[in-house]
Amino acid sequence: GYRNHNGKKIAHTTMSNLISNPKYKGYYVGNKVKVVDMFTKKQKFLPPEEWVMFKDETGEIVPAIVSEEIWDAANAVLKKRSEDVKARQGVCNHANLLTGKLWCTECGQPYYRRESEDKRGRKNSKWICSGKIKNGADSCRSFAIYESEIKPLLFEVFRDTAADADAMVEEYIRMYNELTQHGSLRKKIEQQNNIIDQANRKKNKLLQLAADDSITNADFK
Ligand SMILES: [Zn+2]
């Protein structure tokens, strides 16, 4: 991209605001904002459809710095690019599929991608420990991983994991249904409470009898 007077890269929004501003093709533009609150003077930006625009034919109030044709062409490109960027969101860039996801188990550094070719000249990139790249081959015992080798492995892992996750969800739903079906869980709790009650009653009775000396320790032997 281009750089501003600070030498920093011009942000995409700045660039697109510049390109899409009709004043550069000599248009007066009004009604871009509207006061929505009379007391706080709070404003909101209006959509371009509501802007009031007219061409400054005199070229004195809003002098054009580009022709209308160039402006239109630039905006067509901008629109296309913005749509492309939006369409790419959430889609993994093929070349950087594994960037930031591979780490060296020997020295803990991230793996970097290096372009390489196999004997027949086909592209087969490899991933190398960045610690090794920075500090030399002797610094780390890790080895390079070829993309053509790791990709099928990863696909297999993802496929199996997805199947496992589905099976697990199914199993949990089955277990949950079993527990709640026809209030069977509640019934089981009631049954167990009854057994506890009965046991407590028996215990009390035995304690009573023991206190009355009606039964002695010998009875328990
Ligand atoms: Zn390493």
Side-chain angles (χ1 to χ4, degrees):
Y2 290 88
R3 287 171 194 276
N4 63 16
H5 61 273
N6 294 323
K8 293 204 176 113
K9 273 192 181 167
I10 294 174
H12 173 75
T13 48
T14 316
M15 209 58 208
S16 64
N17 286 344
L18 260 170
I19 295 170
S20 61
N21 193 334
K23 83 175 177 191
Y24 297 116
K25 62 173 176 177
Y27 275 65
Y28 164 83
V29 186
N31 203 39
K32 274 178 144 180
V33 289
K34 186 177 160 185
V35 176
V36 287
D37 190 316
M38 296 308 284
F39 296 103
T40 63
K41 297 268 186 288
K42 198 175 164 323
Q43 295 180 329
K44 88 170 185 177
F45 285 93
L46 292 171
E49 296 82 58
E50 288 181 43
W51 294 356
V52 176
M53 245 191 320
F54 61 85
K55 194 173 182 186
D56 174 23
E57 302 288 356
T58 65
E60 280 165 13
I61 309 163
V62 190
I65 59 171
V66 295
S67 76
E68 211 162 324
E69 290 73 37
I70 289 176
W71 191 94
D72 290 344
N75 275 272
V77 172
L78 175 68
K79 195 166 167 249
K80 177 86 176 59
R81 291 239 177 117
S82 304
E83 279 164 5
D84 285 352
V85 167
K86 263 186 203 152
R88 266 203 308 274
Q89 270 170 8
V91 179
C92 225
N93 186 331
H94 175 77
N96 298 311
L97 189 69
L98 299 168
T99 301
K101 297 185 180 72
L102 292 179
W103 296 82
C104 178
T105 54
E106 290 290 328
C107 69
Q109 299 293 310
Y111 263 57
Y112 283 0
R113 187 176 188 263
R114 283 288 174 273
E115 300 292 347
S116 75
E117 283 177 0
D118 68 10
K119 284 172 198 133
R120 280 189 259 168
R122 285 176 306 193
K123 212 172 88 173
N124 181 20
S125 300
K126 60 182 174 185
W127 290 79
I128 305 162
C129 165
S130 61
K132 208 166 180 167
I133 297 170
K134 278 176 226 154
N135 307 316
D138 294 338
S139 68
C140 174
R141 295 193 299 140
S142 67
F143 49 87
I145 298 169
Y146 285 90
E147 223 166 70
S148 60
E149 284 168 359
I150 194 169
K151 268 186 185 168
L153 277 175
L154 286 173
F155 279 126
E156 215 166 283
V157 169
F158 290 144
R159 201 191 51 212
D160 292 352
T161 312
D164 286 353
D166 285 347
M168 266 185 226
V169 168
E170 237 166 71
E171 178 65 8
Y172 279 125
I173 290 171
R174 192 191 62 77
M175 283 165 75
Y176 181 76
N177 282 336
E178 208 176 76
L179 285 175
T180 54
Q181 228 166 41
H182 315 302
S184 72
L185 181 64
R186 187 184 296 247
K187 213 181 271 169
K188 275 179 192 156
I189 292 172
E190 267 171 30
Q191 278 170 359
Q192 293 305 314
N193 278 332
N194 282 338
I195 292 169
I196 293 169
D197 279 351
Q198 273 175 22
N200 277 330
R201 272 200 295 274
K202 268 183 200 160
K203 189 177 90 179
N204 284 337
K205 188 132 192 182
L206 286 170
L207 281 171
Q208 189 73 45
L209 288 169
D212 292 349
D213 282 336
S214 301
I215 52 169
T216 62
N217 283 341
D219 291 317
F220 289 102
K221 280 176 181 163

